[in-house]
Amino acid sequence: MNQPTATVTHRVEFLRHPHPGFPHLMAWGIRIDGTDLRVLVADATRALWSSELDEDDEDDDTPQERDEFLLRQHAPLHLDEDADGARARAHFLGDAPPHLRHEDTDAQFLLGCPCGIDDCWPLLATVRVAATEVTWSGFRQPHRPQWGELPLGPYVFPRPAYDEALAEPVPLASDPLAPLWREE
């Protein structure tokens, strides 16, 4: 007799810190099970980028430079501020504003581009919210459709813990990945 498969749940932390490219703006970072989402994306896209970069005859990056490139491909989102954080909560509860959604799929941005224009290089995911859980799945990079769905997630978060993490983001004085980056 087949036993139903138990859903693996994850832990999310929302972070508030200065945006890495625009320190006068506050950004919303994300950790899943204690790991920055940008690190998870770097790991998920390493082979995809490697095949592209290896085709470039002029690419002579060291392994450290490639790792830095992977970690810098995204930035936490700067979400329009309001006094009580309602816009950010709505965003991460699946009600992202139109400019932070993919027009064709309705997936929403979880990370943006370090240049400050989020839709320049966003990380997209489908956010499904239910009474007992929040699920992030179908991670994609819309500017690389040939990559398809990234090998990332799905992440299922218990709703009470998700709501609590969203209501009380961890305040940080700087971007937690900043020490890993060389100055350009």
Side-chain angles (χ1 to χ4, degrees):
M1 181 183 224
N2 289 340
Q3 297 286 330
T5 305
T7 301
V8 175
T9 60
H10 298 273
R11 182 175 51 87
V12 68
E13 293 173 276
F14 292 97
L15 314 172
R16 296 287 287 136
H17 57 77
H19 190 285
F22 304 89
H24 64 286
L25 301 174
M26 291 299 286
W28 284 81
I30 301 166
R31 286 185 189 139
I32 298 175
D33 298 330
T35 302
D36 194 293
L37 181 56
R38 293 170 292 171
V39 172
L40 297 171
V41 173
D43 291 343
T45 59
R46 186 175 314 281
L48 298 165
W49 273 118
S50 184
S51 64
E52 280 190 36
L53 295 173
D54 288 346
E55 291 175 7
D56 181 0
D57 292 336
E58 295 179 24
D59 180 40
D60 58 357
D61 290 343
T62 67
Q64 179 183 352
E65 289 169 331
R66 280 207 182 176
D67 282 346
E68 290 171 5
F69 168 78
L70 291 170
L71 290 171
R72 289 180 185 221
Q73 69 180 307
H74 292 291
L77 290 176
H78 166 71
L79 299 170
D80 292 334
E81 297 298 320
D82 53 359
D84 62 359
R87 287 186 196 127
R89 281 195 301 282
H91 178 88
F92 289 112
L93 286 170
D95 189 20
H99 72 282
L100 294 176
R101 287 191 172 281
H102 188 254
E103 187 175 299
D104 296 335
T105 65
D106 207 36
Q108 69 181 61
F109 297 15
L110 292 180
L111 295 172
C113 185
C115 78
I117 302 169
D118 290 323
D119 61 354
C120 178
W121 192 258
L123 174 68
L124 300 176
T126 299
V127 175
R128 296 202 195 302
V129 179
T132 59
E133 63 189 26
V134 176
T135 303
W136 293 356
S137 63
F139 291 85
R140 294 188 178 278
Q141 170 39 256
H143 302 300
R144 290 293 190 279
Q146 68 274 22
W147 288 0
E149 187 173 325
L150 299 176
L152 193 62
Y155 298 109
V156 178
F157 309 106
R159 178 71 188 267
Y162 187 96
D163 288 341
E164 184 178 318
L166 194 49
E168 297 180 26
V170 177
L172 300 174
S174 64
D175 182 338
L177 293 190
L180 301 177
W181 298 351
R182 286 184 302 115
E183 290 299 317
E184 294 190 64

